[in-house]
Amino acid sequence: PHTVRPASFEVVGYVMMSSVNLAEGLARLVRYLRILGDANSVAQMDEGSNQRLSLEIFGGRLPVPRQRYESTLLIFLTFCRWVTGPALRPLEICLTQPSPNNAQPYHDAFMCPVRFGASSNSILFSSADLALQLPTANPALAAMMDQCASDQLQRLENAKVSQKTRDWIIRKLPDGEPSREDVAR
């Protein structure tokens, strides 16, 4: 995760880092996440003045390994720290898995409290975190990047049926070769 940079998130990374603060950047992440793929979903939920970002990963018929949630949350948090500065300390990381015998590596990696056995895989940011001004903020660039991301999202929505079908088949291959009936459906 130490090599996570804006290019890791394509246009989504650049539009996030040109935002005024972390709250604005997170809203853009949720809006444009589909550009990065449709295997993940992120939901924002206000908890008082704090905000929780919950991650859902779609694995087809196979269960999603816990490590995939852990690594995705860590990559995302590492990027947020790259953008805001290393002082970013979420209120907590929640993982649905049971607590391991030794949870210290989790606390060391996330550098914040980690709660196991939670109802969702998520990150809870404080209002202070959300208000963090980004040193890379640039409203003019943000407007340009918003337009680029919106255009890219629109192209994805208008993709040809053959491309959508090809993408669907590729996503399903880890579960085994899909039948013609599944493809047609």
Side-chain angles (χ1 to χ4, degrees), residues 96-161:
T96 57
Q97 70 197 51
S99 181
N101 291 337
N102 180 9
Q104 192 58 47
Y106 290 88
H107 297 286
D108 293 345
F110 288 110
M111 295 186 279
C112 68
V114 178
R115 184 165 50 100
F116 295 92
S119 60
S120 69
N121 294 290
S122 62
I123 302 176
L124 181 62
F125 291 103
S126 70
S127 57
D129 290 340
L130 297 169
L132 283 172
Q133 299 295 303
L134 303 186
T136 53
N138 184 326
L141 182 59
M144 285 183 1
M145 297 308 297
D146 263 329
Q147 186 60 53
C148 289
S150 293
D151 291 349
Q152 194 168 346
L153 200 56
Q154 187 63 41
R155 282 191 300 278
L156 284 172
E157 296 301 323
N158 295 334
K160 293 180 180 179
V161 171

Side-chain angles (χ1 to χ4, degrees), residues 44-120:
Q44 286 177 292
M45 293 158 283
D46 291 332
E47 293 186 12
S49 61
N50 304 322
Q51 189 172 89
R52 183 174 302 281
L53 261 67
S54 290
L55 172 67
E56 183 65 35
I57 300 176
F58 309 109
R61 291 182 293 218
L62 299 176
V64 177
R66 67 172 175 74
Q67 294 91 341
R68 188 146 168 231
Y69 279 101
E70 295 165 4
S71 65
T72 301
L73 287 171
L74 186 56
I75 287 167
F76 173 68
L77 182 56
T78 300
F79 178 72
C80 287
R81 285 185 175 131
W82 189 84
V83 171
T84 63
L88 177 67
R89 296 289 185 261
L91 295 173
E92 69 178 357
I93 298 290
C94 290
L95 298 169
T96 57
Q97 70 197 51
S99 181
N101 291 337
N102 180 9
Q104 192 58 47
Y106 290 88
H107 297 286
D108 293 345
F110 288 110
M111 295 186 279
C112 68
V114 178
R115 184 165 50 100
F116 295 92
S119 60
S120 69

